[in-house]
Amino acid sequence: MSSAAALLPCQLSAQVLGRDNLRGFAKNRLKPRQVQRHVFWCSGGLSVIRKVGDRLRQGDTTAQEILSMHLEKILVTDQAIGSFVSQQIDAALLEAKQIDKKLSAGLDPGPLAGIPFGIKDNICVSNVPSTAGSRILETHYPPFDSHVVSALKASGAIILGKTNLDEFGMGSTTENSAFRVTRNPWDRRRVPGGSSGGSAAAVAQHQCIAALGSDTGGSIRQPASFCGVVGLKPTFGLLSRHGLMSYASSFDCIGPVTSSVEVPFCFPWTSFSPYHRSGMKDAAIVLSVMSKPAQQIDSTVQMALSSLYHEHLPDIERLRTWPLLGRRFAIVKETIGPGVDISVVDRIVTAARDIEKLGGVVDVISCPSFHLGLPAYYILAVSEASRFDHLWLGSLAPTIFKLQYSQQPRSIRQYPVWNCGFLPQ
């Protein structure tokens, strides 16, 4: 292993924020409320959940106003972007009114109070169409909430609608939905990635503050990268998969898509709900809410105590200009080799040098078998996905069931509806 700067000779400039100077400016020139607004509009790294929660609890806005703002954004942009396949406007407005009533009464509706969420359409929401992007499930209305959705609702989140995906999560562009094609908000000629492209595009377009996706082999992380947002795939087994329409059960994970990673640590935030402490990440807030043991019936860590995923971070006031001092990072050499666009490699190198300027150590390591990962994944994932069959999912299933058990046996592939209902892929 060796230094990234030594092994990656690329002349790139990197600007490091003068945090001490900026902290002094905020302290001496701006009042607390001005600091908050200044940070929100000037920094892409701010916790949006934290900011919205702060404004709600201080009475600067209402849950109904926040919801209306995002509904208007969807109305203006979604015909071109195609993030959502359905919206639950009436239910969302009713929930927003209930949250405002609780806040007016001095109650705390929860850490996600008033936060509009998009839910990938392969995650069940009670009495809401949950199609997994397929015409086969066009009339599927689950009578229950998935456990992650139940956790969000219990924490005050508002379910705005269901987001688009490749059919049954099998794709990487969100072009293979039975209902619509999703575009990348940054460049509509390009794809948003997939299969959670609807969730990533919705957050990037500010149609919702956060969203849920599912990840089998990159379906949260890849579209988050394409759309410039934050996608988190939790450790397998951390979150319940109850209510997820599975692609490959031994791979699938539900995770959050948010617009930021962490509150900038140069600003000493003061007053806020106890749910949102200094340095807490948007993704960590959502993950903490969804990983409570009481709601896990199929999780491998259901007996473990749930922790807040920011507790290991030092307080903002104790951070200095070397916040990553003592931390080690690694770049796998094979991931930036032939076949990777040079602009992508440049961005990775720039990030590595920024990490080193903040006190971290970046090593370049080699994983010679890395190229075998993709074919191994496709063998395993597609084998698990082979259970998908229109005979059992489609509208003609009752008829085929009768034919199959008739007195005249037929080979199953002789049925003319073998592929009926599925898209070409």
Side-chain angles (χ1 to χ4, degrees):
M1 296 186 295
S2 55
S3 168
L7 286 184
L8 301 173
C10 185
Q11 300 300 320
L12 297 170
S13 61
Q15 298 292 329
V16 179
L17 181 65
R19 293 180 175 80
D20 289 332
N21 293 334
L22 197 51
R23 184 188 293 112
F25 168 76
K27 181 178 180 181
N28 299 324
R29 303 287 291 277
L30 298 175
K31 296 179 181 179
R33 291 295 302 167
Q34 291 176 313
V35 170
Q36 179 189 10
R37 290 169 183 164
H38 177 80
V39 177
F40 178 71
W41 293 111
C42 295
S43 173
L46 178 68
S47 168
V48 181
I49 293 176
R50 179 187 174 96
K51 189 256 184 183
V52 170
D54 193 14
R55 294 190 64 199
L56 273 173
R57 289 170 176 81
Q58 294 185 10
D60 293 342
T61 188
T62 66
Q64 294 176 72
E65 290 175 351
I66 294 169
L67 177 61
S68 297
M69 180 179 66
H70 288 88
L71 288 174
E72 183 178 355
K73 188 73 171 181
I74 292 174
L75 180 65
V76 171
T77 63
D78 203 51
Q79 184 174 357
I81 301 300
S83 303
F84 284 87
V85 292
S86 65
Q87 298 169 43
Q88 288 69 58
I89 297 176
D90 292 339
L93 288 171
L94 181 61
E95 182 61 29
K97 290 179 182 179
Q98 294 298 323
I99 290 172
D100 287 337
K101 287 181 180 179
K102 290 181 181 179
L103 289 170
S104 299
L107 302 175
D108 192 339
L112 298 177
I115 303 298
F117 268 77
I119 307 296
K120 187 176 179 180
D121 203 26
N122 63 346
I123 301 174
C124 291
V125 178
S126 179
N127 298 316
V128 169
S130 300
T131 69
S134 176
R135 291 287 181 190
I136 294 174
L137 296 179
E138 193 170 10
T139 59
H140 177 226
Y141 286 72
F144 62 91
D145 285 326
S146 62
H147 277 279
V148 290
V149 169
S150 295
L152 294 181
K153 288 182 176 180
S155 298
I158 297 175
I159 307 303
L160 195 53
K162 304 300 288 294
T163 58
N164 199 21
L165 70 155
D166 294 294
E167 187 179 28
F168 292 111
M170 299 178 189
S172 56
T173 63
T174 318
E175 296 174 298
N176 298 309
S177 167
F179 302 103
R180 63 192 312 185
V181 172
T182 301
R183 309 290 182 185
N184 192 310
W186 297 99
D187 185 346
R188 295 174 186 174
R189 299 168 300 174
R190 301 179 185 273
V191 299
S195 61
S196 303
S199 292
V203 174
Q205 189 64 61
H206 307 297
Q207 295 174 337
C208 57
I209 291 178
L212 293 187
S214 64
D215 194 306
T216 307
S219 287
I220 292 175
R221 295 160 289 173
Q222 183 246 34
S225 173
F226 281 22
C227 292
V229 294
V230 178
L232 173 64
K233 174 198 171 293
T235 302
F236 183 85
L238 178 62
L239 298 182
S240 171
R241 291 182 294 107
H242 177 266
L244 172 66
M245 301 177 203
S246 179
Y247 169 4
S249 296
S250 66
F251 290 83
D252 293 337
C253 297
I254 297 174
V257 179
T258 59
S259 60
S260 63
V261 175
E262 185 173 351
V263 180
F265 43 75
C266 54
F267 287 92
W269 293 68
T270 53
S271 60
F272 197 66
S273 161
Y275 292 103
H276 305 294
R277 293 165 54 186
S278 296
M280 193 169 188
K281 307 174 184 179
D282 273 359
I285 296 171
V286 180
L287 184 63
S288 297
V289 163
M290 296 191 297
S291 61
K292 295 179 180 178
Q295 294 156 340
Q296 311 295 314
I297 62 171
D298 61 345
S299 170
T300 58
V301 293
Q302 59 180 306
M303 301 306 294
L305 293 176
S306 176
S307 62
L308 294 176
Y309 292 89
H310 66 293
E311 289 181 342
H312 68 285
L313 296 174
D315 292 334
I316 290 173
E317 292 79 2
R318 294 195 288 112
L319 287 173
R320 295 295 182 264
T321 56
W322 299 94
L324 299 180
L325 191 63
R327 305 281 184 178
R328 299 186 70 87
F329 300 81
I331 296 175
V332 180
K333 183 171 64 176
E334 286 74 13
T335 65
I336 54 175
V340 182
D341 189 280
I342 186 61
S343 63
V344 174
V345 176
D346 286 351
R347 290 300 184 97
I348 294 173
V349 174
T350 300
R353 291 187 170 178
D354 285 345
I355 288 172
E356 290 182 330
K357 289 181 179 181
L358 295 175
V361 175
V362 181
D363 296 313
V364 176
I365 63 174
S366 178
C367 179
S369 60
F370 186 85
H371 68 285
L372 299 175
L374 188 61
Y377 162 77
Y378 274 115
I379 291 171
L380 296 171
V382 175
S383 296
E384 292 191 33
S386 63
R387 70 189 183 284
F388 281 96
D389 194 319
H390 178 81
L391 296 183
W392 309 118
L393 293 174
S395 58
L396 297 178
T399 303
I400 302 304
F401 183 84
K402 292 179 182 178
L403 287 172
Q404 185 175 355
Y405 289 94
S406 66
Q407 294 181 353
Q408 299 179 355
R410 298 174 64 185
S411 168
I412 196 168
R413 287 194 176 273
Q414 289 180 289
Y415 292 124
V417 295
W418 172 255
N419 289 319
C420 181
F422 286 113
L423 294 177
Q425 82 280 6

